[in-house]
Amino acid sequence: MLKLQDQLNCRINPDWTRAGQRFLRAAFVEAAEALEHHGWKWWKKQTLDLPQVQMELIDILHFYLSHVIVVNDGAEGAARTLMADLAGSDDIVLDGKTYALPGLDIPELLELLGGLAVCGRASFKVLATTMAKCQLTWDEAFKQYVSKNVLNLFRQDHGYKEGSYIKIWNGEEDNVVLARLMAGLDAARPDFAEQLLAQLERAYSALK
């Protein structure tokens, strides 16, 4: 995943590691979006959209990977940091308060992810705990990561940076279309990414 993230970022900016991008700011925004998909408003009826919560967690993973590559000057050091973080304590201290991760519910974990990001911190331990509570295994996360990586590359190839990309496909956000297409494919196939890209191309071409 670290290698794939570097490839994607290089597509956007070949000098991305020195561009000073605020990856944790992006992670904060994704945590808030995940909270919206989960539901938190006590004054109205809301329906949990678990696949979209999972997708937002995968987006956070993208930004975490980018952040850890930059602060470690490359993927090798980033991998060591990631593994050490995952093996760390289940207690996280933020602003003088200790949070015991196993006892937190999903909204509380999403708030913690956002709070850490605002403070310039990335915690793969908190992210992994949130993933587990959202029924997202690392195998499934890898599948979704590769899928979102394909979508992100697809977006770049179709004018995302220039502003000409169409994000709403027949009334659905492209993330929703991606989740549906991904569910119909076998992620174990070696050509999984190519198959998914081909289906995205067909669906997008039908919009024009």
Side-chain angles (χ1 to χ4, degrees):
M1 288 190 291
L2 288 163
K3 291 179 181 178
L4 288 172
Q5 191 63 47
D6 181 54
Q7 290 172 7
L8 171 61
N9 292 351
C10 284
R11 179 77 65 88
I12 298 169
N13 178 3
D15 196 34
W16 74 272
T17 58
R18 289 184 287 273
Q21 302 298 343
R22 300 293 293 272
F23 294 111
L24 293 185
R25 176 189 292 165
F28 162 72
V29 173
E30 300 296 349
E33 291 180 359
L35 194 55
E36 286 291 330
H37 288 302
H38 182 278
W40 60 275
K41 298 173 182 176
W42 61 89
W43 62 88
K44 62 180 288 188
K45 177 178 173 56
Q46 293 185 284
T47 302
L48 168 63
D49 188 345
L50 189 59
Q52 282 303 301
V53 175
Q54 293 177 346
M55 192 67 75
E56 302 298 351
L57 294 176
I58 298 304
D59 286 342
I60 293 173
L61 179 59
H62 275 79
F63 294 122
Y64 266 24
L65 293 173
S66 297
H67 170 77
V68 78
I69 289 171
V70 170
V71 298
N72 286 278
D73 295 320
E76 185 175 336
R80 288 194 296 268
T81 296
L82 190 159
M83 297 307 296
D85 194 353
L86 287 173
S89 172
D90 283 334
D91 290 341
I92 298 293
V93 179
L94 175 64
D95 197 23
K97 181 178 179 180
T98 299
Y99 296 85
L101 299 184
L104 300 182
D105 61 22
I106 294 171
E108 290 169 330
L109 286 164
L110 292 172
E111 288 176 352
L112 184 55
L113 283 169
L116 288 166
V118 167
C119 295
R121 294 170 57 187
S123 172
F124 285 95
K125 187 73 172 186
V126 178
L127 180 57
T129 302
T130 311
M131 287 166 45
K133 293 207 173 184
C134 290
Q135 303 172 34
L136 187 59
T137 65
W138 274 108
D139 283 344
E140 179 63 22
F142 179 74
K143 173 183 176 181
Q144 291 200 30
Y145 175 86
V146 173
S147 299
K148 190 60 184 284
N149 192 273
V150 168
L151 177 61
N152 286 336
L153 288 170
F154 179 85
R155 285 170 169 174
Q156 291 300 320
D157 288 342
H158 291 79
Y160 202 55
K161 192 173 182 179
E162 295 76 19
S164 59
Y165 177 73
I166 302 170
K167 195 170 183 180
I168 304 300
W169 301 13
N170 297 322
E172 293 182 314
E173 188 174 337
D174 58 0
N175 272 326
V176 178
V177 177
L178 176 71
R180 185 171 61 252
L181 294 177
M182 178 182 67
L185 296 174
D186 180 4
R189 289 177 57 102
D191 61 347
F192 169 65
E194 290 79 7
Q195 283 191 327
L196 183 57
L197 180 60
Q199 292 205 19
L200 287 171
E201 291 282 5
R202 284 195 292 272
Y204 194 72
S205 296
L207 301 178
K208 302 175 181 179

